[in-house]
Amino acid sequence: MSLSDWERRALAELEQELRREDPPFAHRIDELNAAPCGQGPQRFACQVSPYEVVCVFLTVVVLTGLCVLVILTAGQRQAPPPSQVVRAPSTATGPPAAPPSVPPSGPPSGPPSGQSGAPLPAATP
């Protein structure tokens, strides 16, 4: 899209006024316009040195290696060995005692067993 004649004249007047009022600034603008610049979108791109590229590449390789190492070692964890039940030697001789019985549910009809006040008979081995 080209500029109209009126716009070109207005810009030319602004440029002449700038050159009269601030010659050092106009000189710097002329130098910038005369400097060679790249064409296309790459002229504004950030310049990266080969050293920076190598550092980023090595960092990526090291971090990838650490991630792989962590994943592989986490998969090799073994469960602890099953615990073996150690039974204490029994001091009693004879058949094992029966498990305690559970009283039936409901209101008690009398004193619970063993609490009648009478001594319980001793168990014989």
Side-chain angles (χ1 to χ4, degrees):
M1 180 173 177
S2 64
L3 299 174
S4 68
D5 290 336
W6 181 83
E7 291 171 331
R8 276 188 239 144
R9 275 184 290 185
L11 287 175
E13 288 174 10
L14 286 173
E15 184 178 350
Q16 288 174 0
E17 188 176 331
L18 174 68
R19 289 187 185 280
R20 264 184 299 173
E21 291 179 7
D22 196 359
F25 179 70
H27 181 69
R28 281 183 281 164
I29 295 296
D30 289 338
E31 285 177 358
L32 287 175
N33 287 335
C37 64
Q39 297 298 319
Q42 292 298 320
R43 65 182 171 179
F44 299 112
C46 179
Q47 300 298 322
V48 180
S49 70
Y51 174 75
E52 292 170 329
V53 172
V54 169
C55 287
V56 168
F57 178 74
L58 289 177
T59 303
V60 168
V61 168
V62 168
L63 290 176
T64 303
L66 285 174
C67 289
V68 168
L69 182 66
V70 166
I71 291 170
L72 290 178
T73 56
Q76 293 179 354
R77 287 188 181 171
Q78 296 178 354
S83 60
Q84 297 178 358
V85 178
V86 178
R87 296 185 182 192
S90 176
T91 57
T93 56
S101 64
V102 178
S105 63
S109 59
S113 61
Q115 295 182 1
S116 63
L120 294 176
T124 57

